[in-house]
Amino acid sequence: MPEGPSIVILREETEQFVGQPVERVGGNSRLDLSRLEGARVRSIRSYGKQYLIEFEAFSLRVHLLLFGSYRVDERKEKSTPRVSLGFPNGELNLYACSVRFLDQPLDVLYDWRTDVMSGLWDPALARKKLRAQPHMLACDALLDQDVFAGSGNIIKNEVLFRIRVHPLSRIGALPPRKLAELVEQVRVYSFEFLEWKKAFVLKQHWLAHTKTTCPRCHIPLIKAHLGKTNRRSFFCERCQKRYGGDDPTEPTPPTDATE
């Protein structure tokens, strides 16, 4: 699933369509796409993992889900786009994604302070929301889109490794400085992710995600599906401290050393 930085790249690659009218519409979406014909793009924005095309009276929200993709000024062979938009200066094709119309203003629907890539990002608000959920696991907190819109599994694994926090740590057990570090590094890593992805070197910078050996301790990393989200976690049991201990009411998922 594309994370926030990847959606920022999509937004930047399609800014050429701002101010342009939709001249042609196609695709296999069940939406009434005829609504888009003749509409002029007012702005192109992103919120977390959502790509937003704003028109005068409504917006089109796009979520690329797990396997969604896009093409600008080209098409995939043997694939029908979910939505295809033709403009005077180019074409946008969106594949295997979820699309819907939004009739309320975007500034009403979205709190930009929670988007880790936004200029309005508010770390104090993120810390407040985390403190209100002391029993939440760190691995779930970093995937909570109400707190960190745009953060995904790569960001989760890399940030927790970077700040030496075990994914099964309880948010309420983190020392204040460690909580502040967690919030800060989600933002910092997201912008590093953006620059590395633009340079096609993102995977070269992964320290924990999909890796088998801890680069600090030189022992096998643990791979496990953890938390309510049940997403893959890669972590070191030696250098990533577990804060909060075990919760007897919630069994710890089994873990296995990666092979």
Side-chain angles (χ1 to χ4, degrees):
M1 179 183 295
E3 302 185 27
S6 298
I7 303 304
V8 169
I9 292 173
L10 167 56
R11 184 190 74 203
E12 293 176 349
E13 290 183 355
T14 56
E15 286 179 346
Q16 70 194 62
F17 301 130
V18 174
Q20 299 295 312
V22 177
E23 292 186 334
R24 181 191 54 75
V25 180
N28 59 15
S29 172
R30 295 181 180 179
L31 290 179
D32 180 10
L33 297 179
S34 64
R35 185 179 185 185
L36 294 162
E37 293 178 359
R40 187 176 297 272
V41 177
R42 182 178 178 181
S43 71
I44 291 180
R45 307 170 76 174
S46 62
Y47 173 79
K49 300 176 183 180
Q50 301 177 43
Y51 172 70
L52 304 161
I53 305 177
E54 184 181 20
F55 300 95
E56 189 63 34
F58 63 94
S59 298
L60 181 69
R61 190 206 73 171
V62 179
H63 196 300
L64 294 179
L65 305 175
L66 286 175
F67 304 110
S69 61
Y70 66 93
R71 295 290 187 273
V72 178
D73 295 335
E74 63 176 341
R75 299 188 183 189
K76 283 186 173 183
E77 293 184 4
K78 301 180 181 179
S79 294
T80 301
R82 181 77 75 239
V83 175
S84 177
L85 300 176
F87 302 94
N89 63 342
E91 181 179 83
L92 171 62
N93 294 295
L94 301 157
Y95 299 88
C97 57
S98 169
V99 294
R100 62 176 294 189
F101 289 122
L102 304 175
D103 293 310
Q104 290 181 275
L106 296 181
D107 289 336
V108 172
L109 294 173
Y110 294 101
D111 185 351
W112 308 102
R113 299 175 300 166
T114 61
D115 181 354
V116 297
M117 304 299 297
S118 171
L120 298 177
W121 163 253
D122 186 348
L125 178 61
R127 292 193 297 270
K128 180 180 179 180
K129 288 187 173 184
L130 291 174
R131 286 194 295 267
Q133 304 178 80
H135 299 293
M136 179 182 282
L137 297 176
C139 61
D140 289 330
L142 285 168
L143 297 178
D144 189 335
Q145 300 304 294
D146 289 333
V147 182
F148 300 112
S151 178
N153 214 41
I154 297 171
I155 294 172
K156 176 200 76 178
N157 286 323
E158 291 298 305
V159 167
L160 291 177
F161 183 80
R162 177 177 288 193
I163 68 173
R164 298 176 180 247
V165 170
H166 194 288
L168 290 176
S169 297
R170 298 285 172 182
I171 290 298
L174 295 178
R177 288 186 180 180
K178 189 59 69 174
L179 181 68
E181 186 181 14
L182 183 150
V183 171
E184 176 189 26
Q185 287 301 315
V186 173
R187 170 84 164 178
V188 169
Y189 185 82
S190 293
F191 277 92
E192 291 177 352
F193 183 128
L194 176 64
E195 294 308 311
W196 292 331
K197 190 168 180 65
K198 285 181 177 180
F200 304 101
V201 295
L202 175 62
K203 292 184 179 181
Q204 297 176 28
H205 290 272
W206 288 351
L207 298 177
H209 187 70
T210 74
K211 300 299 181 180
T212 59
T213 304
C214 175
R216 286 192 291 251
C217 304
H218 307 291
I219 63 174
L221 288 173
I222 302 299
K223 179 179 72 174
H225 290 78
L226 303 179
K228 293 182 179 179
T229 53
N230 199 37
R231 299 293 302 281
R232 288 190 307 168
S233 289
F234 298 85
F235 57 96
C236 178
E237 290 195 314
R238 177 180 294 175
C239 64
Q240 289 179 251
K241 183 175 179 180
R242 183 168 177 173
Y243 294 88
D246 296 327
D247 182 346
T249 66
E250 182 176 331
T252 300
T255 58
D256 297 297
T258 55
E259 299 178 352

Coordinates of all heavy atoms in Angstrom, one line a residue, residues 121 123 127 148 159 163 177-190:
W121 N 1.2 20.2 9.8 CA 1.5 19.1 10.7 C 1.7 19.6 12.1 O 2.4 20.6 12.3 CB 2.7 18.3 10.3 CG 3.3 17.4 11.4 CD1 4.4 17.6 12.0 CD2 2.7 16.2 11.9 NE1 4.7 16.6 12.9 CE2 3.6 15.7 12.9 CE3 1.5 15.4 11.6 CZ2 3.4 14.5 13.6 CZ3 1.3 14.3 12.3 CH2 2.2 13.8 13.3
P123 N 2.8 18.4 15.8 CA 3.3 17.3 16.6 C 2.7 17.3 18.0 O 2.5 16.2 18.6 CB 4.8 17.5 16.7 CG 5.0 19.0 16.3 CD 3.9 19.3 15.4
R127 N 1.0 14.0 19.9 CA 1.3 13.6 21.2 C 0.1 13.5 22.1 O -0.1 12.6 22.9 CB 2.4 14.5 21.9 CG 3.7 14.4 21.2 CD 4.8 15.1 22.0 NE 4.6 16.5 22.2 CZ 5.0 17.5 21.4 NH1 5.7 17.2 20.3 NH2 4.7 18.7 21.6
F148 N -1.3 9.7 12.6 CA -0.2 9.8 11.6 C -0.7 9.5 10.2 O -0.5 8.5 9.7 CB 0.9 8.9 11.9 CG 1.6 9.1 13.3 CD1 1.4 8.1 14.3 CD2 2.3 10.2 13.6 CE1 2.0 8.2 15.5 CE2 2.9 10.4 14.8 CZ 2.8 9.4 15.8
V159 N 11.0 3.6 11.8 CA 11.0 4.5 12.9 C 11.3 3.8 14.2 O 12.1 4.3 15.1 CB 9.7 5.4 12.9 CG1 9.6 6.1 14.2 CG2 9.7 6.4 11.8
I163 N 14.5 4.6 16.7 CA 14.4 5.1 18.0 C 14.6 4.0 19.1 O 14.4 4.3 20.3 CB 13.1 5.9 18.2 CG1 11.9 5.0 18.2 CG2 13.0 7.0 17.2 CD1 10.6 5.7 18.6
R177 N 10.2 11.8 26.7 CA 11.2 12.1 25.7 C 11.1 11.1 24.6 O 11.3 11.4 23.4 CB 12.6 12.1 26.3 CG 12.9 13.3 27.2 CD 14.4 13.4 27.6 NE 14.7 14.5 28.4 CZ 15.9 14.8 28.9 NH1 16.9 14.0 28.7 NH2 16.1 15.9 29.7
K178 N 10.9 9.8 24.9 CA 10.8 8.8 23.9 C 9.5 8.9 23.1 O 9.5 8.7 21.8 CB 10.8 7.4 24.5 CG 10.9 6.2 23.6 CD 12.2 6.3 22.7 CE 13.5 6.1 23.5 NZ 14.7 6.1 22.6
L179 N 8.4 9.4 23.7 CA 7.2 9.6 23.0 C 7.4 10.8 22.0 O 7.0 10.7 20.8 CB 6.0 10.0 23.9 CG 4.7 10.2 23.3 CD1 4.1 9.0 22.6 CD2 3.7 10.8 24.3
A180 N 8.1 11.8 22.5 CA 8.3 13.0 21.6 C 9.2 12.6 20.4 O 9.1 13.0 19.3 CB 9.0 14.1 22.4
E181 N 10.2 11.7 20.7 CA 11.1 11.2 19.7 C 10.3 10.4 18.6 O 10.6 10.5 17.4 CB 12.2 10.4 20.3 CG 13.3 9.9 19.3 CD 14.4 9.1 19.9 OE1 14.1 8.6 21.1 OE2 15.4 8.9 19.3
L182 N 9.4 9.6 19.1 CA 8.6 8.8 18.1 C 7.8 9.7 17.2 O 7.9 9.5 16.0 CB 7.6 7.9 18.9 CG 6.7 7.0 18.1 CD1 6.4 5.7 19.0 CD2 5.4 7.6 17.7
V183 N 7.2 10.7 17.7 CA 6.4 11.7 16.9 C 7.3 12.4 16.0 O 7.0 12.6 14.8 CB 5.6 12.6 17.8 CG1 5.0 13.7 17.0 CG2 4.5 11.9 18.6
E184 N 8.4 12.9 16.5 CA 9.3 13.6 15.6 C 9.9 12.8 14.5 O 9.9 13.3 13.3 CB 10.5 14.1 16.5 CG 11.6 14.9 15.7 CD 12.8 15.2 16.5 OE1 13.1 14.4 17.4 OE2 13.6 16.1 16.1
Q185 N 10.3 11.6 14.7 CA 10.9 10.8 13.7 C 9.9 10.3 12.7 O 10.4 10.0 11.5 CB 11.6 9.6 14.4 CG 12.9 10.0 15.1 CD 13.9 10.7 14.1 OE1 14.1 10.2 13.0 NE2 14.5 11.8 14.6
V186 N 8.7 10.2 13.0 CA 7.7 9.8 11.9 C 7.7 10.9 10.8 O 7.7 10.6 9.6 CB 6.3 9.7 12.5 CG1 5.3 9.5 11.3 CG2 6.2 8.5 13.4
R187 N 7.8 12.1 11.3 CA 7.8 13.3 10.3 C 9.2 13.3 9.6 O 9.2 13.4 8.4 CB 7.6 14.6 11.1 CG 7.9 15.8 10.4 CD 6.7 16.3 9.5 NE 6.9 17.7 9.2 CZ 6.1 18.4 8.4 NH1 5.0 17.8 8.0 NH2 6.3 19.6 8.1
V188 N 10.3 13.2 10.3 CA 11.6 13.2 9.7 C 11.8 12.1 8.7 O 12.2 12.3 7.6 CB 12.7 13.1 10.8 CG1 14.1 12.9 10.2 CG2 12.7 14.4 11.7
Y189 N 11.4 10.9 9.1 CA 11.6 9.7 8.2 C 10.8 9.8 7.0 O 11.2 9.4 5.9 CB 11.4 8.4 8.9 CG 11.7 7.2 8.1 CD1 13.0 6.8 7.9 CD2 10.8 6.6 7.3 CE1 13.4 5.7 7.1 CE2 11.1 5.6 6.4 CZ 12.4 5.1 6.3 OH 12.7 4.1 5.5
S190 N 9.6 10.4 7.1 CA 8.7 10.5 6.0 C 9.3 11.4 4.9 O 9.1 11.1 3.7 CB 7.3 11.1 6.4 OG 6.6 10.1 7.3

